[in-house]
Amino acid sequence: MKTLTTLTIIILFPFCLLGQTILKGKVTDKNNEALPGVNIFIEGTYEGTSSSKNGEFQFETELTGSHQLAFQSVGFKKELHTITLEGNEIVINTSLKEAIDQMKAVTITAGGMEASDVKKAVVLKPIDIVTTPSAIGDIVGAFQTLPGTSNVGNDGRLFVRGGDASETAIFIDGLKVNNAFGTTANNVPSRTRFSPNMFKGSFFSTGGYSAEYGQALSSALVLNSIDMPVRSQADISLMSLGGGLSQTLVGKRNSISANANFFDLGPYQNLINQNFDWERAPHSWDASILGRQQWGNSGMLKAFFQTESSGMEIWQAEPGELGRGDLIKINNNYNVGQLSFKQIKNEEWSFTGGLSYTLNTDQFDLGGLKVEQKTQLFHAKGVAIRDFSDAFSTKIGVETFWNKYDEALLDENQSRGFEDPQANAFVESDYYISNDLILRGGLRAGYSNLINEQWIDPRASLSYKFQHEGQISLAYGKFSQLAESKYRVVNNSIGNTEATHYILNYFIHKNSRTFRAEAFHKDYDNLLTFDGADMNLSNISLNGFGKASGFDVFYRDRKSIKNTDFWISYSFVDSKRKFAHYESEVQPSFAPKHNASLVVKHFVSSLNSQFGGSFSVNDGFAYTNPNFEGEQNQRTKSFQSLSLSWSYLPKPNLIIHFACNNVLGRENQFGFDYANQANEQGIFASSPVGQAAPRFLFLGVFLTLSTDKNANQLNNL
């Protein structure tokens, strides 16, 4: 027996030796640095090993035939090598490629500021919009504390880096919204029409924005509505200016929210002295409904409709003349409807798009001259995004706009208008060279049927991330924008105004602190020039030009001071342009050179209260005094406004909020109105353009009813 066993071993020994294959080698990264801890194994088996601290590996296997040898490590792409096991030694030296992890990778930050909970680099959260003291719940009011913006108190809209308010476009769920601000009288500030409670986040670009958006020379404000509320609840709002009701019902895969609000500043103005001569205080009502339906594993369909009616009557005196002046009456009716969708088809494809329609009707009585203006906008859009790999993706989209504008002198039976169907297409690609470096390039093309003109705007940007997590970005872009309807209705043939942006940005977000610095330069071409006033425009053409250069700095800190969140911003803007009725290149009245804001919020848990303060300042507004030579030859005193707020939560479902703007009662001025003719002494009489009142007070009580009795109106933000 012993002899038989020995004989068997002797016979089989050579075959055993033939079955032992030795696998060895070294694993490195792209810089030829050794990679320890890499898992090396034969696919579909348990045979393998890990690389040593110097990246080397070795193991033996009795397997034979063709197999796949895998190299796998966190942060790197899995690599496969085909091997044939024949009992010999196989040496494999390989270099693993870095995997792109978009949660850690660099992002494009030039020109853009996020206000979203889902983004890793957040500048403002959605809740900041409703708790910033100077904003009084207005979306734009919160963004006016960010760098690059100017606080123009007699207008209320968003002015960005030396650009006019019309140079900022607003989008909801990717679809353009016309007339996003309420209609108002000359030198009476306006507010956005939409409740900040609708939105989960915002993207505010101060320049160099994506090719997906167009028709805005300076800025794009993209608002994204809440996908699915966290619970069913009813909200009751009682405010010093009016009240509101809201009901949200949430199902397993769908939800619906209905809101109704009523505002009337009459009772408030009877208690608080006003600088303006009101005949009928501003008043409005609005109602909206937002429905959401999930489909499949990753699809969402939203339908939104809002209707609104508002009005005001105000006396506006002529400078140098006795009496109350002209009575200006305004009635506005506004309707907007949207149907939007998004669908992630698979790991490679996703789709977004929708339809939007806006109808705005204004009726003015300008001291007896009755004017009606009607604006309609239809927008259809479809976007497809293809992820070719974790490093390369492309977005491609098409959209069409249909603009229709009509205006009429009602008593004189005169009317005019225009229609302009437009077609647009865009493509934009992101390429991650590594986790630290990304390139983005895009093109946007447009065509206007009214002027029979097409245009192409290129966009490009890149970002590099340093080891200390800071990143630097560059952005370039060309932007085209057709003139406002009140000019196009006079001259249907005028084409696009144009701007070219150059941006250099540094951004770091670390340990609950954010620092952002950005330098920029804008060149303007084909700016609108004309003669005459709004109701008597002539010689409208595109002979203007200009520039805006400067820098801004932003710092936010939620860690250094316990229970305190604060941010500070400063912007320098050197803007000069030949535009409108100006005969020379001037500093626009809406573009102060120095702008700064400080916002502080401190929570005192023992009082269930949050105290807030914000301070805004600029160096004054340029204006033309016809009693002196030249244009924009004077400047107002510095604008300064201190706002305070107190939010008290006596119960989880009850919020009491009090705020006061311009607490110190500073008499801010935004310019002067002058008489058209000099008086007998050869002097042009004037009257200052100021605030509606020395201060603005707000008191609101917000009650939420829900099953668990713990919800409030901030839960969805």
Side-chain angles (χ1 to χ4, degrees):
M1 185 65 185
K2 183 178 179 181
T3 302
L4 178 61
T5 301
T6 302
L7 181 61
T8 301
I9 292 173
I10 291 173
I11 294 172
L12 294 179
F13 182 71
F15 295 97
C16 292
L17 288 177
L18 181 64
Q20 291 286 339
T21 298
I22 299 174
L23 294 158
K24 60 188 294 186
K26 186 174 182 180
V27 190
T28 59
D29 62 12
K30 64 178 182 179
N31 298 318
N32 206 31
E33 297 289 334
L35 285 178
V38 177
N39 292 320
I40 301 120
F41 56 94
I42 298 173
E43 281 273 279
T45 75
Y46 293 104
E47 299 201 30
T49 186
S50 298
S51 60
S52 64
K53 64 180 181 181
N54 58 4
E56 295 177 348
F57 71 93
Q58 178 174 329
F59 69 96
E60 298 176 357
T61 178
E62 295 180 355
L63 296 173
T64 60
S66 180
H67 291 272
Q68 295 282 323
L69 182 64
F71 296 79
Q72 193 169 32
S73 181
V74 175
F76 293 89
K77 294 180 179 178
K78 182 179 180 181
E79 191 168 295
L80 296 173
H81 289 253
T82 300
I83 54 176
T84 301
L85 304 177
E86 297 176 330
N88 52 357
E89 182 178 279
I90 298 176
V91 179
I92 298 178
N93 296 318
T94 187
S95 176
L96 298 188
K97 295 180 179 178
E98 188 180 24
I100 303 299
D101 183 351
Q102 297 196 9
M103 293 301 293
K104 298 179 180 178
V106 62
T107 57
I108 301 288
T109 56
M113 288 177 281
E114 297 276 359
S116 167
D117 281 337
V118 298
K119 298 292 184 182
K120 61 179 183 178
V122 175
V123 175
L124 286 187
K125 288 183 175 181
I127 197 171
D128 294 326
I129 294 175
V130 297
T131 57
T132 298
S134 59
I136 311 288
D138 184 33
I139 296 171
V140 165
F143 282 102
Q144 285 173 341
T145 66
L146 293 181
T149 62
S150 301
N151 194 329
V152 184
N154 63 322
D155 188 291
R157 295 179 294 170
L158 200 51
F159 293 80
V160 180
R161 289 182 172 169
D164 179 76
S166 66
E167 297 176 18
T168 296
I170 296 181
F171 302 83
I172 295 179
D173 292 330
L175 299 170
K176 189 173 183 181
V177 178
N178 254 12
N179 305 97
F181 293 85
T183 303
T184 187
N186 190 33
N187 292 324
V188 178
S190 180
R191 291 170 58 92
T192 44
R193 299 179 185 272
F194 305 106
S195 167
N197 295 336
M198 281 179 54
F199 304 106
K200 64 177 180 181
S202 311
F203 179 81
F204 173 46
S205 170
T206 52
Y209 55 85
S210 165
E212 181 177 349
Y213 306 104
Q215 287 298 306
L217 287 188
S218 289
S219 173
L221 176 57
V222 183
L223 305 170
N224 296 310
S225 63
I226 295 170
D227 287 335
M228 191 63 69
V230 295
R231 59 169 64 82
S232 297
Q233 64 185 60
D235 300 305
I236 302 171
S237 305
L238 298 174
M239 295 167 279
S240 53
L241 311 175
L245 294 171
S246 175
Q247 176 67 59
T248 297
L249 300 175
V250 180
K252 287 185 178 180
R253 296 179 61 80
N254 48 36
S255 71
I256 188 167
S257 300
N259 300 274
N261 299 285
F262 172 77
F263 297 96
D264 190 336
L265 272 68
Y268 172 84
Q269 292 181 354
N270 289 334
L271 295 173
I272 307 294
N273 289 333
Q274 301 291 301
N275 295 330
F276 292 169
D277 186 3
W278 293 104
E279 180 69 22
R280 174 69 172 94
H283 54 92
S284 69
W285 63 263
D286 66 81
S288 64
I289 187 166
L290 173 60
R292 314 163 185 88
Q293 177 66 54
Q294 294 178 341
W295 87 74
N297 295 324
S298 55
M300 175 68 74
L301 180 69
K302 296 179 184 177
F304 170 67
F305 176 75
Q306 178 165 319
T307 184
E308 178 181 330
S309 179
S310 63
M312 65 175 69
E313 298 179 12
I314 185 172
W315 291 92
Q316 294 194 325
E318 291 293 326
E321 295 186 6
L322 299 176
R324 302 176 72 182
D326 293 327
L327 178 60
I328 309 299
K329 300 180 181 178
I330 299 175
N331 286 302
N332 170 254
N333 290 290
Y334 181 78
N335 297 280
V336 58
Q338 288 193 342
L339 184 65
S340 61
F341 72 92
K342 59 182 179 182
Q343 172 72 54
I344 300 174
K345 184 70 175 176
N346 49 43
E347 293 183 353
E348 295 181 348
W349 286 98
S350 59
F351 304 91
T352 63
L355 306 171
S356 174
Y357 175 72
T358 309
L359 169 61
N360 183 76
T361 305
D362 293 316
Q363 292 181 325
F364 300 95
D365 186 335
L366 308 175
L369 178 66
K370 296 182 179 178
V371 181
E372 181 179 88
Q373 297 175 339
K374 181 181 292 185
T375 306
Q376 299 178 73
L377 173 68
F378 173 76
H379 182 197
K381 180 177 180 179
V383 181
I385 301 171
R386 171 72 191 275
D387 292 322
F388 293 94
S389 69
D390 59 352
F392 182 69
S393 65
T394 293
K395 177 192 299 182
I396 186 168
V398 294
E399 57 185 344
T400 183
F401 295 93
W402 175 73
N403 287 281
K404 190 173 190 304
Y405 178 78
D406 298 285
E407 66 177 25
L409 298 175
L410 299 179
D411 290 340
E412 301 177 23
N413 198 27
Q414 296 180 8
S415 63
R416 57 186 178 183
F418 70 87
E419 291 184 35
D420 185 19
Q422 299 169 21
N424 294 268
F426 58 87
V427 60
E428 190 170 74
S429 294
D430 287 355
Y431 177 54
Y432 284 91
I433 297 174
S434 69
N435 279 316
D436 300 328
L437 182 61
I438 181 175
L439 302 176
R440 173 178 293 172
L443 285 174
R444 181 178 179 86
Y447 171 75
S448 166
N449 183 68
L450 182 64
I451 60 175
N452 190 26
E453 180 179 302
Q454 59 276 343
W455 59 90
I456 297 178
D457 293 336
R459 317 276 170 88
S461 54
L462 68 86
S463 285
Y464 177 76
K465 187 176 182 180
F466 299 101
Q467 290 293 324
H468 65 278
E469 298 185 20
Q471 61 180 61
I472 190 169
S473 300
L474 293 169
Y476 157 83
K478 183 179 177 183
F479 302 86
S480 300
Q481 181 180 349
L482 292 163
E484 292 180 81
S485 295
K486 64 181 181 181
Y487 303 111
R488 301 187 75 194
V489 74
V490 179
N491 182 349
N492 293 166
S493 64
I494 53 176
N496 276 302
T497 55
E498 297 173 351
T500 305
H501 298 189
Y502 306 90
I503 297 173
L504 172 62
N505 170 283
Y506 176 78
F507 179 90
I508 184 169
H509 176 71
K510 193 174 183 180
N511 297 329
S512 299
R513 299 182 181 95
T514 302
F515 176 76
R516 179 182 185 273
E518 190 164 284
F520 67 92
H521 177 80
K522 277 195 292 187
D523 284 321
Y524 286 103
D525 291 308
N526 300 328
L527 289 179
L528 205 69
T529 59
F530 54 81
D531 295 327
D534 271 1
M535 298 304 298
N536 190 27
L537 296 169
S538 62
N539 296 326
I540 297 177
S541 61
L542 298 175
N543 293 327
F545 55 88
K547 70 174 183 64
S549 301
F551 65 92
D552 44 55
V553 180
F554 174 86
Y555 176 71
R556 182 171 188 175
D557 193 327
R558 284 175 284 184
K559 187 173 184 179
S560 298
I561 304 174
K562 187 178 180 182
N563 295 330
T564 301
D565 177 12
F566 72 91
W567 67 84
I568 185 169
S569 66
Y570 167 77
S571 300
F572 170 75
V573 182
D574 181 16
S575 178
K576 284 190 175 181
R577 53 167 67 181
K578 184 181 185 304
F579 73 115
H581 59 275
Y582 294 102
E583 297 180 352
S584 58
E585 205 172 353
V586 299
Q587 178 186 353
S589 57
F590 47 78
K593 279 193 174 183
H594 303 276
N595 300 271
S597 292
L598 170 66
V599 178
V600 181
K601 292 184 285 187
H602 181 71
F603 188 76
V604 181
S605 56
S606 59
L607 300 176
N608 295 329
S609 297
Q610 177 179 280
F611 298 92
S614 58
F615 179 68
S616 298
V617 59
N618 67 40
D619 64 331
F621 302 90
Y623 65 95
T624 299
N625 184 340
N627 297 301
F628 297 92
E629 290 186 358
E631 296 177 306
Q632 299 295 83
N633 48 21
Q634 301 280 300
R635 185 189 305 277
T636 66
K637 294 185 297 183
S638 167
F639 168 86
Q640 299 176 31
S641 179
L642 173 66
S643 301
L644 299 175
S645 67
W646 173 35
S647 298
Y648 176 51
L649 282 76
K651 295 181 179 179
N653 64 332
L654 180 63
I655 301 173
I656 300 174
H657 181 74
F658 173 76
C660 178
N661 276 5
N662 196 29
V663 172
L664 302 179
R666 182 179 173 83
E667 295 182 358
N668 290 307
Q669 295 177 344
F670 309 103
F672 287 82
D673 285 333
Y674 285 89
N676 293 325
Q677 301 292 330
N679 58 23
E680 294 178 351
Q681 290 76 37
I683 303 297
F684 289 88
S686 66
S687 58
V689 177
Q691 303 166 130
R695 300 173 185 82
F696 182 78
L697 303 174
F698 176 85
L699 176 63
V701 179
F702 305 95
L703 175 65
T704 296
L705 305 176
S706 64
T707 304
D708 60 12
K709 300 181 180 179
N710 289 320
N712 60 49
Q713 295 193 26
L714 304 180
N715 289 152
N716 290 323
L717 302 182

